[in-house]
Amino acid sequence: MMNVEQLHEMLKKIQEPKGYFFNKDKDRVIDLLKGLLINKERYGYMSCPCRLASGDREKDKDIICPCVYRTPDVEEFGSCYCNLYVSKDWNEGNIVHAYVPERRPLEKIQF
């Protein structure tokens, strides 16, 4: 099984060229990455650690990290819902760190 450091390096290499950076709060990032690995072991896929997964990959495909909500969240708020992925401006303090509301439709949250 992949460890947190390996996951961090792999995702960093993939996501930074796309303009998505890890939150500069390393402890938060490590906790979230641990959550991703736990969910991978639990469900077989890395569902968002900030949301409740159903265990059904098809139902949860919108919250498999990076979730489908990340792009609009980062575009609008500079951060995804979890604060795992952020923009460069967010990390540098050039934009307000506003609360990111849940975009996932209610019918997807109720199992």
Side-chain angles (χ1 to χ4, degrees):
M1 186 172 146
M2 186 180 294
N3 68 32
V4 173
E5 293 79 22
Q6 291 167 324
L7 181 60
H8 185 276
E9 284 309 305
M10 180 188 74
L11 293 176
K12 185 175 177 176
K13 285 179 190 172
I14 294 168
Q15 301 303 329
E16 281 191 0
K18 297 177 185 178
Y20 299 102
F21 300 88
F22 282 132
N23 187 329
K24 67 181 180 181
D25 180 345
K26 295 266 191 223
D27 290 337
R28 176 144 182 92
V29 170
I30 295 304
D31 285 345
L32 290 167
L33 293 177
K34 285 178 184 174
L36 286 173
L37 291 173
I38 288 167
N39 286 346
K40 169 86 171 158
E41 193 171 310
R42 185 180 291 154
Y43 304 118
Y45 51 92
M46 289 194 289
S47 64
C48 174
C50 301
R51 294 178 169 105
L52 187 60
S54 70
D56 180 330
R57 186 183 187 96
E58 187 59 29
K59 286 182 182 175
D60 293 340
K61 66 182 178 183
D62 63 318
I63 60 167
I64 294 175
C65 190
C67 73
V68 300
Y69 312 106
R70 177 187 70 172
T71 298
D73 284 350
V74 173
E75 285 174 1
E76 187 174 346
F77 300 100
S79 170
C80 71
Y81 182 68
C82 294
N83 302 134
L84 175 62
Y85 289 111
V86 301
S87 68
K88 192 173 186 178
D89 281 338
W90 194 94
N91 258 347
E92 292 174 355
N94 296 330
I95 57 174
V96 176
H97 292 187
Y99 170 76
V100 180
E102 173 63 274
R103 289 183 193 264
R104 193 172 198 215
L106 192 57
E107 63 269 13
K108 289 200 172 245
I109 296 171
Q110 297 173 339
F111 303 119

